[in-house]
Amino acid sequence: MNNNDQQLRLLNPGPVTLTQRVRQALTRPDVCHREREFTRLMDDVRDGLRRVYPQAQNDYEAVLFTGSGTSAMEAMVGSLVPRQGKALVLANGVYGERMANMLRTQGKTPEVIQHHWTSGLNLEEVNQRLEQAGPISHVIAVHHETTTGRLNDLPGLGAICRQQNIPLLLDTVSSFGGEAIDFEGWNVEACAATANKCLHGAPGISFVLARREVLTSQSSASPSTYLDLFANYKSQIQSVPQFTPAVHVMYALQEALAELKESGGWQHRQQLYQSRSAQVREALARSGVQLLLDGPDCYASSLTSFRLPDEVSFSRLHAHLKQAGFVIYPGQQSLNDTIFRIAVMGDLSNQDIAELVGALDEFFCHAEANYCET
Ligand SMILES: *Cc1c(COP(=O)(O)O)cnc(C)c1O
């Protein structure tokens, strides 16, 4: 690599900085997706995805899509929410709202409990709605709402779904592989996720993990050919992908899954993220920079959102950190000018985190001396 190509350390919530091992898998020999070499690879990846959470390995199946995380979300809600069914969508950020919009685009009529983006899920309201007349086919929620970094209260919501026996569809795009998911306890019918966030694969492949019983006993409600969960499942269990897959990205995902397993699985990754995030949060707290949400306990392990101090523009902070070799992330939509986000997924060393802390201290304590308390 020459200087211009130097690897920036990505602190956006995916795509992440790849390990050398995963990046090298992208350069493996070209392969035809209808040959044995590929179908072995696909079977292995589908198997590996089921085993990330041992609780899911017997009763769930992974269905792969070539596309970003959004394609898996769309396949999930499009195929599983019945055309005449009423889903209850909980939205406290961009991604919950996105799933409600998908359903509307598909000609379905979801009910939406809209929250402020800085609020946690209102479980009382969920309970009230479920007790009312009018059946709800599915509850739909986001596990880690990346808009703010909030790890939504799935133990609370899942207990309601389990108790009322209402299937839960989850966007776990930014939590799969890095947070606990209680498939049974939360009554999860399916979750959608991607290769290139907590799993540390390359962008281009996403997947739905769905109950096998549902995939084999129900029919598809999908208005889409490409994103039909059931049709893709039927061909993938026969080891024939329905459409041309991103074959090199599949090699990379296979390596990423092997790395995850060898390094101690999702629990180890969660701890690693927590330790990295704690260092970032401490550094910024020293400089008087405030969290967007009420406290560190609100957050997923992999991401934190901070309020931009008055007079500090995102672009200046971003430029300072990019100079130091890091890419950080702005807020979305209404939070675009008021917050910044730091994710700690991907291949980052202790040295990287120390350098990041140094660069943050330098910006807020020296370049922006007003903001430093010490
Ligand atoms: C990243 C993300 C997505 C999907 O984004 P893509 O750009 O389509 O990969 C969906 N939901 C959440 C919670 C996310 O963080």
Side-chain angles (χ1 to χ4, degrees), residues 211-353:
R211 266 188 200 285
R212 185 183 305 109
E213 194 196 340
V214 168
L215 290 171
T216 53
S217 69
Q218 294 182 11
S219 52
S220 181
S222 179
S224 162
T225 302
Y226 189 75
L227 295 177
D228 185 335
L229 182 67
F230 290 77
N232 279 279
Y233 171 65
K234 280 199 190 91
S235 56
Q236 288 176 24
I237 52 173
Q238 288 158 19
S239 299
V240 188
Q242 225 190 343
F243 309 102
T244 310
V247 293
H248 301 87
V249 177
M250 194 78 79
Y251 280 130
L253 180 54
Q254 183 185 39
E255 268 336 295
L257 286 166
E259 260 184 5
L260 176 66
K261 190 171 162 197
E262 289 163 22
S263 67
W266 70 263
Q267 295 94 333
H268 176 264
R269 192 149 290 174
Q270 182 188 44
Q271 282 165 14
L272 194 64
Y273 291 164
Q274 276 166 356
S275 129
R276 292 171 180 174
S277 289
Q279 294 174 66
V280 172
R281 289 167 196 165
E282 276 160 29
L284 286 162
R286 264 202 307 279
S287 301
V289 178
Q290 292 186 347
L291 298 173
L292 173 66
L293 301 179
D294 285 339
D297 295 344
C298 297
Y299 286 92
S301 30
S302 62
L303 185 140
T304 318
S305 55
F306 299 94
R307 294 175 192 273
L308 275 167
D310 293 343
E311 317 292 324
V312 174
S313 74
F314 176 80
S315 60
R316 216 144 40 84
L317 175 60
H318 177 269
H320 175 86
L321 290 172
K322 196 156 184 187
Q323 191 66 37
F326 296 99
V327 173
I328 62 160
Y329 218 44
Q332 283 153 291
Q333 300 177 21
S334 62
L335 293 174
N336 190 246
D337 295 329
T338 50
I339 70 164
F340 63 99
R341 292 178 289 172
I342 297 186
V344 295
M345 302 162 189
D347 185 35
L348 300 168
S349 64
N350 291 339
Q351 176 67 23
D352 290 327
I353 299 298

Side-chain angles (χ1 to χ4, degrees), residues 8-137:
L8 288 161
R9 290 155 288 186
L10 301 184
L11 306 177
N12 48 297
V16 300
T17 310
L18 303 179
T19 62
Q20 240 357 67
R21 175 175 167 184
V22 169
R23 185 177 296 102
Q24 259 155 19
L26 292 166
T27 65
R28 285 209 195 128
D30 308 314
V31 60
C32 170
H33 64 293
R34 301 205 170 249
E35 292 293 319
R36 261 224 325 268
E37 306 80 271
F38 181 78
T39 58
R40 268 203 303 263
L41 167 65
M42 182 177 72
D43 292 348
D44 188 56
V45 165
R46 291 186 51 243
D47 199 52
L49 289 170
R50 281 196 286 129
R51 289 171 194 281
V52 171
Y53 292 90
Q55 214 194 60
Q57 73 187 32
N58 293 325
D59 299 331
Y60 292 78
E61 291 271 5
V63 183
L64 300 165
F65 296 90
T66 292
S68 80
T70 301
S71 63
M73 292 157 71
E74 198 149 23
M76 175 176 75
V77 302
S79 307
L80 293 172
V81 175
R83 296 204 179 153
Q84 309 303 331
K86 198 166 262 309
L88 181 65
V89 182
L90 309 190
N92 59 349
V94 168
Y95 298 102
E97 291 173 11
R98 184 175 292 178
M99 288 193 286
N101 283 332
M102 285 172 175
L103 287 164
R104 292 187 195 106
T105 303
Q106 294 163 359
K108 299 170 186 174
T109 48
E111 279 186 32
V112 182
I113 300 184
Q114 181 68 53
H115 304 69
H116 287 294
W117 283 5
T118 49
S119 300
L121 300 182
N122 186 341
L123 299 184
E124 212 166 299
E125 201 175 335
V126 175
N127 259 325
Q128 273 169 14
R129 173 57 191 89
L130 295 180
E131 275 160 19
Q132 279 168 20
I136 292 292
S137 74

